């Protein structure tokens, strides 16, 4: 069966510090991978998606970046965090063609920037 | 622009029935999803509608009318554990998910 894990679950970071969130998927190959951010009372905002190794599409301009060094690994990074980067970050995957009609989410990472 | 509208919050009584509505305006349509999200947790899949009509899955049912740009999620025999946010999302013509802000459902004894 397929599983998705992301970490860390919770982190508190000062403004200007770097960030690295990691996500891995097991039990499938060639997944589409996504990073979402959810602010309180807001819908899910797509940050990045990837259809393959080294292929990253960015949906919104920001000081965040993403990388996919391996087929089932997706990393969200920042060199210098802003207060506005606080939120609930979710990694997700779906199969190559979205055939199942379902997006599978990791456990989420709650980031607080002080 | 693309838009998904759903009520911000609803309250219902344990054992009752509640209907959560969702209207959408998107660039194309390749399906509509409902997800459940408990506080502090990730969303989990509830239903997927791509054709008009009602899809029933246990206590939960989801309805779609593509001509009206409208869907609803029907929850029957409400339980306290159903207290959560319910997210409506539409898959557009580019196969990108457009998300609503979610409806927070509060269940009272």
């Amino acid at each position: 069966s397929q599983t998705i894990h992301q970490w860390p679950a919770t982190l508190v970071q000062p403004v200007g510090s770097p960030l690295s969130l990691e996500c891995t998927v097991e039990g499938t190959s060639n997944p589409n991978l996504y990073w979402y951010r959810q602010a309180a009372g807001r819908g899910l905002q797509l940050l990045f998606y990837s259809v393959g190794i080294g292929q990253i599409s960015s949906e919104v301009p920001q000081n965040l970046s993403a990388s996919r060094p391996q087929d089932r690994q997706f990393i969200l990074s920042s060199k210098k965090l802003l207060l506005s980067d606080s939120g609930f970050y979710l990694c997700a995957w779906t199969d190559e063609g979205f055939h199942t009609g379902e997006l599978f989410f990791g456990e989420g990472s709650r980031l607080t920037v002080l | 622009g693309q838009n998904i509208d759903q009520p911000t919050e609803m309250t219902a009584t344990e054992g009752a029935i509640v209907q959560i509505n969702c209207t959408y305006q998107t660039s194309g349509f390749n399906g509509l999803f409902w997800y459940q999200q408990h506080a502090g947790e990730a969303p989990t899949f509830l239903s997927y509608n791509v054709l008009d009509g009602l899809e029933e899955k246990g206590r939960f049912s989801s309805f779609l009318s593509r001509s009206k740009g409208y869907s609803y999620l029907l929850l029957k025999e409400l339980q306290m554990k159903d207290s959560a946010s319910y997210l409506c999302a539409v898959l557009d013509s580019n196969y990108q998910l457009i998300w609503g802000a979610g409806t927070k459902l509060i269940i009272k004894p």
Side-chain angles (χ1 to χ4, degrees):
Chain A
S1 62
Q2 302 91 352
T3 58
I4 178 170
H5 296 292
Q6 64 176 102
W7 66 93
T10 306
L11 62 168
V12 180
Q13 296 284 106
V15 169
S17 65
L19 170 74
S20 181
L21 301 179
E22 190 164 342
C23 172
T24 59
V25 180
E26 297 294 334
T28 187
S29 58
N30 296 318
N32 292 335
L33 296 172
Y34 305 81
W35 277 112
Y36 283 93
R37 178 169 59 202
Q38 187 177 36
R42 305 280 296 275
L44 290 169
Q45 180 188 31
L46 180 62
L47 302 175
F48 300 95
Y49 70 93
S50 171
V51 298
I53 297 174
Q55 301 179 63
I56 308 294
S57 296
S58 174
E59 290 297 304
V60 293
Q62 58 209 328
N63 70 321
L64 299 171
S65 62
S67 62
R68 185 169 178 175
Q70 300 180 44
D71 182 46
R72 291 170 292 177
Q73 183 184 26
F74 206 23
I75 298 171
L76 182 69
S77 304
S78 174
K79 292 182 179 179
K80 289 185 177 182
L81 285 168
L82 306 173
L83 287 174
S84 57
D85 291 325
S86 292
F88 191 49
Y89 288 81
L90 290 157
C91 180
W93 76 272
T94 189
D95 73 0
E96 191 175 357
F98 222 120
H99 297 144
T100 63
E102 180 175 352
L103 198 61
F104 299 90
F105 288 91
E107 305 92 335
S109 299
R110 184 161 302 282
L111 170 66
T112 303
V113 183
L114 302 175
Chain B
Q2 307 203 88
N3 196 47
I4 308 281
D5 285 318
Q6 48 181 134
T8 302
E9 187 174 296
M10 299 181 69
T11 302
T13 304
E14 189 177 15
I17 299 174
V18 70
Q19 177 175 310
I20 302 174
N21 296 325
C22 171
T23 58
Y24 62 90
Q25 292 176 312
T26 56
S27 304
F29 179 84
N30 281 302
L32 184 144
F33 297 80
W34 284 97
Y35 281 79
Q36 180 190 60
Q37 185 177 26
H38 286 100
E41 298 181 8
T44 55
F45 171 81
L46 289 178
S47 68
Y48 171 62
N49 293 67
V50 65
L51 299 176
D52 290 350
L54 187 68
E55 295 275 347
E56 296 186 78
K57 192 183 294 185
R59 293 189 298 115
F60 292 8
S61 303
S62 56
F63 172 83
L64 174 68
S65 169
R66 288 171 296 170
S67 63
K68 296 182 179 178
Y70 167 70
S71 172
Y72 67 73
L73 180 69
L74 190 72
L75 291 75
K76 303 176 184 177
E77 302 170 12
L78 286 170
Q79 302 175 9
M80 297 303 293
K81 67 178 182 179
D82 297 329
S83 292
S85 288
Y86 292 85
L87 311 179
C88 175
V90 172
L91 198 59
D92 71 8
S93 56
N94 294 319
Y95 286 90
Q96 295 297 328
L97 271 177
I98 312 301
W99 293 84
T103 298
K104 183 178 181 180
L105 178 62
I106 299 169
I107 308 297
K108 295 185 175 180

